[in-house]
């Protein structure tokens, strides 16, 4: 099974890196959340690919569907928070969010 | 029916927003607190009988169709359910008065109940993916609850918390998936058996590392702690109590312990890693707490420090260490819940959280001051309160295992803890009352009632510690200790 | 297999573009395109339901939510991203991929995985009969999301402190 697993693992790790980089380096709140979405893609890719390589695709598929539902909930909550932050500051810049001490 | 622990709060949470249209305040108050009371009574009475014949997993019939709802109730799960029910009941009672000025109470209680349902589900789950799923349920509810005040600080803290928490759960889920790929199953036992058949590989180590990072972020152990001192103080006081008292423990420590003890088995490397993280958290967070001016921020740092203690005890892995760690988890849940609730009373009365502006509040708020003192002394480890015994057990376990340096550091950290709690007492409650606080009043009835219940529990657990240890904590520790002995000798 | 590789490359490229593009709308569209590619990949791996969900929910619904948020926050003006972060990203990314390829190949090729139990039945059976608790969890999390949005957009009764 391992040889079919490898390319997917490589790509998923790459996407994970891209997402985390986006979280660390970017300053726009929406852009940060795009980073989160890229991480989610990495996770759902790795779930389905594992099932595919393992010939356990039915279980993996049901996990992936559940994961997508979780993702939607999360996105709705996060975007609601972003809109609320925007109402206060009229800006999406993370640097203006530094009133709390690190 | 074990499933009720998840289903009842879920159903009530679904009904509340509809009923909230009929009665804005009274009905949500009564209904949700009754739910918490039911969970507590049910865990205390039925739970014991259910597990009398050993741990159970239930399969449920739905409309004649057999469906697979596998939930496992054993000593450890029951112990956690009790802790969750107790603290959430007190936080719920406290909310009756405290949440008045936030508005939309039905919505608030519904989110609160969903968070409780998520934590209960996580405790009862017997499947790696379901651990992740219920972790996320509790987390999504908690983001909204942290931001509930809709003030600027709250929103910012919630967003920061959300970003870090999403990364944490992504790590956890990737770990789960890789384990699924290695062993072809998701249930705890099946994965545990599978890992023993496999030659110990770097992939299993990778999963362990992912879990340590993911759950470490959730539990706010020291290198992963950045979100907690923002998120916990910003939430409304009862929610701070829930987050600090329960959520970091359930979604961090409990999940970590469950997975490491019943799936991986605690290897010596892992044990050392956990103990190292624990000791660093205990000391560094205590030092950071000393410098805080904001009372809730100080309490938040103190949570990190106490979580370090718990991880130190559990990570040691000897039966006594596990016992001490779990007992400290329980005591800390009660005492930190109490302290956050009293800080809420103070904030409501004075409108500030800055310790320098307070002073002499004990004269005007005797109940709040007294209960706060009880909580502080319990966490700081002053006999005969609960926290003293649990810290004593942890330190005894460290000495027994011959880990002298850790034991000495643990004692020193507990001195630091006492120091900053006395700082709170001196700055906020004792001394001369300031002119501007001349006419503040004691907190309303339900808020005082909740804090008094928790304070009595802190004292009671301290006095009857032997009975509590024997009847509640020991069965829980036994579950974990069995896991250790079952897995390690087969050599990984 | 080669089609799979092409799709994977497309997924990576769209995701990288979503990080790099300055314009938020274009970035969101790239994200949607990445989801689309991912959905096709799922379909080709034998997970048609997950693929359909990925395309309709993630590429569709979530993109709509993103667009809505971008539209609602449009007047805030541009946020200056640091130049360095943008320039350094492709470098770091290629470096990481190189390390990633080497490490993963060495890690995975050596390990032995257990053979899986053969699966029988249909997708619906698996989801409804074997993983029913997942459905309960889904209900929980949908409630949580709905209530969270309701709470965050409620009318503040008294203290409107803007």
């Amino acid at each position: 099974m391992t040889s079919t697993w490898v390319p997917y693992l490589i790509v998923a790790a790459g996407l994970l890196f891209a997402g985390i980089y986006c979280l660390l380096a970017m300053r726009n709140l929406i852009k940060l959340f795009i980073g989160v979405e890229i991480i989610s893609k990495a996770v759902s890719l790795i779930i389905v690919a594992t099932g595919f390589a393992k010939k356990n695709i039915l279980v993996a598929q049901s996990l992936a569907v559940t994961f997508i539902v979780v993702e939607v909930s999360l996105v709705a909550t996060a975007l609601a928070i972003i809109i609320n932050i925007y109402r206060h500051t009229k800006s999406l810049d993370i640097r203006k969010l530094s009133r709390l001490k690190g | 029916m074990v499933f009720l622990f998840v289903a009842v709060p879920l159903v009530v949470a679904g009904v509340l927003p509809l009923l909230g249209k009929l009665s804005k305040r009274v009905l949500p108050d009564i209904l949700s607190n009754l739910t918490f009371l039911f969970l507590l009574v049910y865990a205390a009475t039925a739970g014991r009988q259910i597990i009398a014949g050993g741990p159970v997993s239930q399969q449920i019939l739905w409309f004649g169709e057999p469906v697979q709802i596998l939930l496992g109730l054993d000593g450890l799960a029951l112990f956690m359910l009790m802790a969750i029910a107790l603290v959430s009941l007190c936080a719920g009672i406290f909310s009756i008065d405290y949440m008045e000025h936030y508005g939309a109470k039905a919505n608030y209680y519904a989110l609160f109940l969903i968070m409780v349902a998520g934590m209960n589900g996580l405790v009862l789950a017997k499947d790696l993916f379901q651990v992740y799923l219920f972790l996320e349920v509790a987390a999504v509810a908690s983001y909204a609850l942290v931001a509930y005040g809709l003030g600027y600080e709250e929103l910012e803290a919630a967003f920061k918390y959300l970003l870090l928490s999403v990364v944490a759960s992504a790590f956890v889920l990737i770990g789960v998936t890789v384990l699924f790929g290695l062993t072809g199953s998701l249930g705890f036992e099946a994965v545990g058996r599978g890992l023993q058949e496999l030659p110990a590989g770097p992939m299993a180590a990778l999963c362990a590392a992912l879990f340590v990072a993911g759950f470490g972020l959730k539990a706010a152990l020291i290198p992963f702690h950045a979100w907690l001192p923002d998120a916990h103080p910003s939430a409304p006081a009862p929610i701070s109590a829930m987050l600090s008292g329960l959520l970091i423990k359930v979604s961090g420590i409990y999940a970590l312990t469950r997975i490491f003890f019943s799936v991986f088995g605690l290897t010596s490397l892992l044990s050392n890693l956990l103990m190292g993280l624990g000791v660093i958290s205990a000391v560094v967070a205590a030092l950071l707490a000393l410098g805080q001016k904001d009372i809730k921020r100080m309490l938040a740092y103190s949570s990190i420090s106490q979580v370090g203690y718990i991880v130190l005890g559990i990570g040691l892995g000897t039966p006594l260490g596990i016992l001490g760690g779990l007992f400290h988890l329980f005591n800390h849940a009660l005492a930190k819940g109490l302290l956050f609730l009293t800080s809420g009373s103070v904030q409501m009365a004075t409108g500030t959280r800055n310790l320098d502006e307070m002073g002499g509040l004990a004269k005007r708020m005797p109940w709040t001051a007294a209960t706060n003192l009880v909580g502080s002394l319990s966490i700081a480890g002053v006999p005969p309160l609960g926290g003293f015994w649990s810290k004593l057990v942890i330190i005894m376990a460290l000495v027994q295992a011959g880990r002298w340096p850790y034991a000495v550091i643990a004692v020193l950290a507990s001195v630091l803890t006492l120091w900053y709690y006395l700082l709170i007492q001196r700055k906020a409650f004792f001394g001369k009352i300031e002119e501007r606080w001349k006419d503040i009043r004691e907190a309303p009835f339900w808020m005082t009632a909740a804090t008094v219940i928790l304070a009595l529990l802190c004292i009671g657990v301290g006095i009857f510690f032997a009975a509590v240890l024997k009847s509640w904590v020991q069965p829980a520790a036994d579950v974990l200790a069995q896991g250790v002995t079952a897995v390690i000798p087969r050599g990984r | 297999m080669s089609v799979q590789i092409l799709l994977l490359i497309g997924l990576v490229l769209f995701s990288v573009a979503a990080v790099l593009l300055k314009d938020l709308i274009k970035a969101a569209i790239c994200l949607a395109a990445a989801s689309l590619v991912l959905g096709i990949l799922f379909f080709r791996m034998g997970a048609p339901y997950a693929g359909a969900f990925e395309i309709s929910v993630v590429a569709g619904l979530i993109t709509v939510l993103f667009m809505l948020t971008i539209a609602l926050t449009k007047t805030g003006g541009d946020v200056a991203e640091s130049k360095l972060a943008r320039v350094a990203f492709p470098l770091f990314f290629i470096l990481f991929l190189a390390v990633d390829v080497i490490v993963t190949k060495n890690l995975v090729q050596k390990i032995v995985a257990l053979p899986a139990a053969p699966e029988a039945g249909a997708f619906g059976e698996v989801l409804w009969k074997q993983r029913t608790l997942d459905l309960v969890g889904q209900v929980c999390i949908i409630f949580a999301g709905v209530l969270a949005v309701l709470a965050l957009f409620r009318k503040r009764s008294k203290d409107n402190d803007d």
Side-chain angles (χ1 to χ4, degrees):
Chain A
M1 67 158 275
T2 47
S3 59
T4 43
W5 208 13
V6 171
Y8 300 102
L9 281 182
I10 292 172
V11 169
L15 290 183
L16 190 68
F17 175 80
I20 292 177
Y21 186 91
C22 187
L23 283 184
L24 292 176
M26 296 297 164
R27 290 169 184 164
N28 186 318
L29 294 180
I30 296 180
K31 202 72 184 224
L32 289 179
F33 207 68
I34 286 178
V36 169
E37 275 297 289
I38 292 174
I39 293 177
S40 311
K41 294 216 190 320
V43 174
S44 47
L45 174 66
I46 209 171
I47 291 176
V48 176
T50 305
F52 175 61
K54 194 79 197 163
K55 309 257 182 313
N56 249 352
I57 193 71
L58 292 179
V59 173
Q61 182 164 308
S62 67
L63 301 191
V65 168
T66 310
F67 178 73
I68 290 170
V69 172
V70 171
E71 200 183 331
V72 173
S73 250
L74 198 68
V75 169
T77 312
L79 292 181
I81 293 177
I82 291 178
I83 292 174
N84 267 297
I85 290 178
Y86 176 77
R87 282 185 184 169
H88 277 275
T89 58
K90 300 288 169 225
S91 158
L92 288 173
D93 198 332
I94 188 87
R95 281 168 302 180
K96 301 212 171 132
L97 294 190
S98 46
R99 272 195 233 170
L100 297 174
K101 307 136 241 170
Chain B
M1 285 275 288
V2 185
F3 186 52
L4 286 182
F5 284 111
V6 182
V8 169
L10 180 62
V11 169
V12 177
V15 172
L16 266 182
L18 305 175
L19 290 180
K21 295 271 178 286
L22 299 177
S23 147
K24 279 207 163 42
R25 298 211 169 87
V26 185
L27 209 56
D29 280 341
I30 295 175
L31 200 57
S32 41
N33 281 305
L34 278 182
T35 313
F36 296 135
L37 190 65
F38 165 77
L39 289 178
L40 179 63
V41 173
Y42 193 62
T45 56
R48 287 307 282 273
Q49 282 164 15
I50 293 176
I51 62 161
V56 286
S57 333
Q58 281 194 331
Q59 182 150 20
I60 292 174
L61 276 176
W62 264 5
F63 310 112
E65 293 271 348
V67 295
Q68 186 99 343
I69 296 191
L70 260 186
L71 292 168
L73 187 67
D74 55 18
L76 178 60
L78 188 63
F79 169 76
M80 295 303 294
L81 286 178
M82 278 292 287
I84 293 171
L86 259 178
V87 177
S88 49
L89 177 64
C90 291
I93 293 176
F94 190 86
S95 310
I96 295 177
D97 285 324
Y98 189 81
M99 296 308 292
E100 278 299 314
H101 62 284
Y102 280 85
K105 251 185 171 177
N107 198 331
Y108 162 79
Y109 276 121
L111 278 168
F112 194 153
L113 283 161
I114 292 272
M115 190 163 83
V116 171
M119 286 195 277
N120 282 350
L122 171 52
V123 167
L124 293 169
K126 287 189 66 68
D127 176 302
L128 287 169
F129 184 75
Q130 280 149 10
V131 166
Y132 159 79
L133 183 58
F134 284 105
L135 191 80
E136 206 64 287
V137 170
V140 170
S142 70
Y143 308 143
L145 285 169
V146 169
Y148 203 78
L150 293 184
Y152 180 72
E153 252 181 57
E154 284 97 326
L155 291 165
E156 184 186 330
F159 194 70
K160 208 170 159 185
Y161 170 35
L162 187 146
L163 289 184
L164 282 171
S165 176
V166 165
V167 175
S169 25
F171 280 169
V172 170
L173 189 50
I174 290 173
V176 169
T177 316
V178 174
L179 278 184
F180 174 56
L182 291 180
T183 62
S185 41
L186 284 163
F188 286 160
E189 283 100 10
V191 174
R193 271 199 308 279
L195 280 180
Q196 280 167 28
E197 287 167 27
L198 287 171
M203 286 303 263
L206 177 73
C207 292
L210 284 170
F211 284 136
V212 169
F215 292 125
L217 257 167
K218 289 275 181 188
L221 290 171
I222 263 289
F224 313 111
H225 69 289
W227 59 274
L228 186 141
D230 293 335
H232 287 191
S234 301
I239 297 306
S240 312
M242 287 296 288
L243 295 182
S244 246
L246 294 175
L247 190 65
I248 53 171
K249 302 200 184 71
V250 173
S251 65
I253 298 171
Y254 173 83
L256 185 78
T257 323
R258 184 62 103 176
I259 288 180
F260 276 142
F261 277 71
S262 56
V263 177
F264 283 96
L266 195 71
T267 56
S268 67
L269 177 69
L270 208 53
S271 161
N272 282 329
L273 179 65
L274 287 179
M275 286 175 71
L277 284 176
V279 117
I280 292 171
S281 305
V283 175
V284 176
L287 289 173
L288 287 172
L290 274 175
Q292 300 305 318
K293 298 247 179 300
D294 178 333
I295 178 168
K296 281 177 97 176
R297 240 180 134 75
M298 191 186 254
L299 293 177
Y301 274 110
S302 158
S303 286
I304 302 175
S305 163
Q306 302 305 315
V307 161
Y309 262 102
I310 299 168
V311 171
L312 180 63
I314 294 178
L316 181 63
T318 62
L320 196 63
I322 296 170
L323 184 74
L326 289 177
F327 193 30
H328 197 59
L329 186 153
F330 185 66
N331 283 324
H332 180 246
L334 292 181
K336 190 49 65 66
L338 170 60
L339 286 170
F340 267 115
L341 293 184
T342 52
S343 77
S345 305
V346 170
Q347 191 186 357
M348 198 172 161
T350 62
T352 179
R353 301 201 308 236
N354 191 334
L355 280 169
D356 289 343
E357 293 177 20
M358 299 171 189
L361 297 179
K363 298 203 178 60
R364 290 273 169 261
M365 311 177 76
W367 287 103
T368 306
T371 47
N372 185 297
L373 184 65
V374 171
S376 301
L377 293 182
S378 176
I379 289 196
V382 174
L385 294 159
F388 167 71
W389 300 110
S390 47
K391 280 192 182 175
L392 188 70
V393 175
I394 292 177
I395 291 168
M396 268 163 54
L398 288 170
V399 172
Q400 197 189 40
R403 304 293 189 99
W404 283 99
Y406 286 111
V408 172
I409 297 174
V411 173
L412 288 180
S414 120
V415 173
L416 278 179
T417 312
L418 186 61
W419 185 7
Y420 61 72
Y421 276 111
L422 289 181
L423 216 61
I424 291 185
Q425 298 304 322
R426 209 182 51 133
K427 282 190 172 167
F429 295 108
F430 296 136
K432 259 199 0 218
I433 189 159
E434 284 204 28
E435 201 57 41
R436 53 196 284 215
W437 310 131
K438 273 284 187 269
D439 37 81
I440 59 166
R441 265 175 298 157
E442 179 59 276
F445 175 74
W446 289 111
M447 284 164 65
T448 316
T451 54
V452 169
I453 295 173
L454 277 175
L456 287 179
L457 279 170
C458 280
I459 299 173
V461 170
I463 294 176
F464 302 108
F465 77 98
V468 175
L469 265 180
K470 190 154 162 282
S471 61
W472 288 104
V473 190
Q474 190 68 53
D478 284 346
V479 171
L480 288 180
Q482 274 162 17
V484 177
T485 50
V487 175
I488 283 185
R490 266 177 261 172
R492 284 210 338 102
Chain C
M1 197 61 202
S2 59
V3 180
Q4 303 291 85
I5 300 287
L6 277 181
L7 284 171
L8 283 175
I9 291 172
L11 175 63
V12 171
L13 287 182
F14 277 123
S15 305
V16 169
V19 177
L20 284 180
L21 279 176
K22 217 171 188 176
D23 186 20
L24 285 176
I25 297 204
K26 283 182 192 150
I29 290 173
C30 277
L31 202 62
S35 287
L36 199 64
V37 174
L38 193 60
I40 298 170
L41 260 174
F42 284 0
F43 177 74
R44 290 184 54 89
M45 285 193 270
Y49 294 94
F53 256 74
E54 182 74 30
I55 291 174
S56 65
V57 176
V58 182
L61 181 62
I62 290 184
T63 309
V64 170
L65 290 179
F66 262 108
M67 292 298 173
L68 199 65
T69 314
I70 293 168
L72 282 175
T73 57
K74 203 169 47 187
T75 51
D78 282 346
V79 179
E81 301 282 1
S82 97
K83 269 260 168 52
L84 189 65
R86 198 186 294 278
V87 176
F89 175 65
L91 285 176
F92 276 126
F93 189 67
I94 290 167
L95 207 68
F96 177 82
L97 272 186
V99 176
D100 184 25
V101 169
I102 297 165
V103 171
T104 316
K105 274 199 168 152
N106 284 324
L107 258 184
V108 179
Q109 233 103 62
K110 272 189 211 139
I111 58 150
V112 207
L114 295 178
E119 282 185 324
F123 169 68
E125 289 272 296
V126 173
L127 185 57
W128 279 91
K129 293 260 176 79
Q130 288 177 25
R131 305 203 57 82
T132 321
L133 194 56
D134 283 9
L135 292 178
V136 177
Q138 284 187 23
V139 173
C140 284
I141 201 140
I142 290 170
F143 271 11
V146 169
L147 290 166
V149 171
L150 282 179
L152 288 166
F153 287 121
R154 71 182 192 274
K155 261 188 228 140
R156 273 159 293 178
S157 46
K158 286 177 221 161
D159 40 6
N160 216 334
D161 57 345
D162 269 18

